[in-house]
Amino acid sequence: MPTSQQATVLHIHFWADIRNSAGSVEKVITAFASHGQAYRHEIACCPTEPDVPQTFEHHGVTVHAFRESRLINRIFNKMLRLNAFTFSDLIRLINRLQPAILHFHNRQELVDSIIRRLNYRPAVLVHYHRHFAFPVIPALADRLLFISQRTADDILGKTGTNKPSDIVFNPLSLEILEYQKKRFRAAPTKGLPTILFGGGGNPIKGGKELVEAFASLPKGSARLILAGRNVEGLPGLLQDGIEVLGEVPAEKFFDLMLSADIVTMPSYDEPFGLIAQEAMLLRKLLVLSGSGGLLEFTGEDCAVIVQPRSVASLKDGLLRAIALLSEAEVAKLSVMLDCATARVDAFRPSNVSSRLEKVYDLARGIERI
């Protein structure tokens, strides 16, 4: 564990309480921070709930809650459209803590305004967890960090920036690692194979194509469980074999994953793919679109790969996956799951966090022997 004498990293998260275990960014930040070695890690988050303590512990990490000035935001921004700065609370927090590194995980457009208001100059690392139509590269960022090569290509290509950048894959979340320790492997399926989708109603997650592909499967060949925010809005749900759950807590989703036979991510262009990573840890057969960051840590040797946006390709992939569940294919399936387990071991938080801390050294201009 880091000592009090080590340089401090402050992870800054604008979107929610860091204890939101259903949020992918919250999972990533917590996994990074709780496995720091060369640095002392703390977190600053901006919860919307009024009863969150100003300072608390989360997985052994000190967390500081800061607030946005809602009055300034309402009057000067929403009413008068003056684009006023509304995070003075965060400025006071940073000036008090004086961390050596500020690690921004979102709201990249605020970074320069924040740094200019500080009474000292920390090293600044700006993290991109997803793609943007119009990405912002802060002028005062010392290094940029991307969750996959695909995300780096997207953002660097759109901005043309020459700022130093690095790629560090997301670590496995503490939630899934703790869950794995508590649960045994699911028993072999009895009855129809179960296909699980957790992408919700966001069109780019491919839920619409999945429902269409499922409808074209031979009747009674499988059942489909749909989870995630706004998944109820997908078309074609009123057919036999589909169960619609909507958004569920993290542990409930892990329960669904453990009891499923196939986990599918037919995304159009996935920046990374935490659900795929979690399914690999739980030894679940994956049906994935060959898009984005997914192919940077999976492949035909450990998953069934389909073409994005193609109902026909997705149907074929589901049929191939269902066939792999048969007794005749048990040896091939076992080899694929063994491959997935071996690959995902590299994403344990201690391994990924050590790579991240080397990026911190680069941001500070430090060379360790």
Side-chain angles (χ1 to χ4, degrees):
M1 292 295 291
T3 70
S4 59
Q5 302 303 314
Q6 292 172 305
T8 298
V9 176
L10 184 64
H11 296 262
I12 300 178
H13 176 48
F14 286 92
W15 289 346
D17 188 337
I18 198 66
R19 295 171 293 186
N20 172 25
S21 62
S24 59
V25 176
E26 289 85 358
K27 288 180 180 179
V28 169
I29 295 172
T30 299
F32 278 140
S34 62
H35 284 77
Q37 299 172 18
Y39 288 84
R40 177 183 179 85
H41 292 248
E42 298 187 11
I43 299 170
C45 65
C46 187
T48 57
E49 301 81 3
D51 57 346
V52 175
Q54 185 172 357
T55 302
F56 58 92
E57 295 289 312
H58 179 55
H59 287 288
V61 179
T62 300
V63 180
H64 309 273
F66 63 92
R67 305 288 180 179
E68 181 177 18
S69 174
R70 294 184 178 180
L71 181 61
I72 292 176
N73 191 41
R74 185 181 305 117
I75 296 175
F76 288 89
N77 293 343
K78 292 185 178 179
M79 293 177 61
L80 301 179
R81 302 185 182 279
L82 295 178
N83 197 29
F85 186 77
T86 58
F87 289 97
S88 296
D89 194 25
L90 176 59
I91 301 300
R92 289 188 289 269
L93 173 65
I94 297 171
N95 280 333
R96 176 171 63 83
L97 297 177
Q98 298 272 309
I101 298 175
L102 294 180
H103 184 157
F104 290 90
H105 289 269
N106 30 59
R107 297 299 301 271
Q108 292 84 2
E109 75 279 4
L110 293 175
V111 170
D112 287 341
S113 295
I114 289 169
I115 302 306
R116 292 189 180 107
R117 286 172 166 81
L118 299 179
N119 60 20
Y120 78 112
R121 177 58 161 92
V124 177
L125 183 68
V126 179
H127 205 146
Y128 294 84
H129 292 263
R130 62 185 181 89
H131 304 163
F132 297 85
F134 303 100
V136 173
I137 305 296
L140 299 179
D142 294 298
R143 293 191 84 85
L144 310 178
L145 188 62
F146 303 101
I147 61 173
S148 65
Q149 184 64 56
R150 174 68 185 95
T151 303
D153 291 344
D154 180 83
I155 292 175
L156 295 177
K158 288 175 179 175
T159 61
T161 182
N162 59 0
K163 280 190 177 292
S165 63
D166 304 275
I167 297 166
V168 175
F169 287 162
N170 288 334
L172 288 160
S173 70
L174 303 189
E175 288 80 6
I176 191 64
L177 291 170
E178 291 172 357
Y179 180 88
Q180 184 198 33
K181 289 179 181 178
K182 291 190 297 181
R183 299 287 190 269
F184 295 102
R185 291 181 188 170
T189 298
K190 295 180 179 180
L192 293 180
T194 299
I195 303 166
L196 175 65
F197 170 76
N202 188 333
I204 68 171
K205 297 296 183 179
K208 176 178 177 292
E209 288 78 7
L210 175 61
V211 172
E212 290 183 32
F214 180 80
S216 66
L217 295 178
K219 189 174 180 62
S221 58
R223 58 191 291 260
L224 174 63
I225 297 177
L226 303 171
R229 183 176 301 174
N230 300 324
V231 74
E232 304 90 339
L234 292 174
L237 301 183
L238 297 178
Q239 57 179 289
D240 291 340
I242 295 182
E243 183 178 358
V244 182
L245 298 182
E247 190 170 16
V248 297
E251 185 149 331
K252 171 65 174 175
F253 186 75
F254 295 154
D255 285 340
L256 293 169
M257 190 182 296
L258 192 65
S259 62
D261 301 286
I262 299 165
V263 176
T264 183
M265 292 189 70
S267 307
Y268 293 179
D269 191 3
E270 190 72 38
F272 182 75
L274 280 179
I275 289 177
Q277 190 187 59
E278 292 167 345
M280 291 167 75
L281 184 71
L282 295 181
R283 293 182 62 85
K284 294 300 167 180
L285 178 58
L286 283 166
V287 176
L288 306 172
S289 60
S291 69
L294 286 170
L295 286 188
E296 294 178 39
F297 65 95
T298 67
E300 293 282 3
D301 54 350
C302 65
V304 175
I305 308 299
V306 302
Q307 293 300 313
R309 303 173 186 257
S310 171
V311 173
S313 179
L314 184 51
K315 175 188 175 181
D316 176 69
L318 293 176
L319 288 172
R320 284 188 283 144
I322 292 169
L324 283 167
L325 300 174
S326 68
E327 291 186 11
E329 298 287 347
V330 64
K332 183 176 181 180
L333 176 61
S334 180
V335 170
M336 291 179 68
L337 297 181
D338 287 344
C339 177
T341 301
R343 285 197 182 191
V344 81
D345 193 60
F347 300 119
R348 293 190 178 276
S350 57
N351 296 331
V352 182
S353 292
S354 65
R355 292 196 288 273
L356 174 65
E357 292 191 337
K358 292 177 182 178
V359 176
Y360 292 154
D361 288 345
L362 293 171
R364 297 177 68 203
I366 294 175
E367 292 186 11
R368 296 182 189 268
I369 299 175

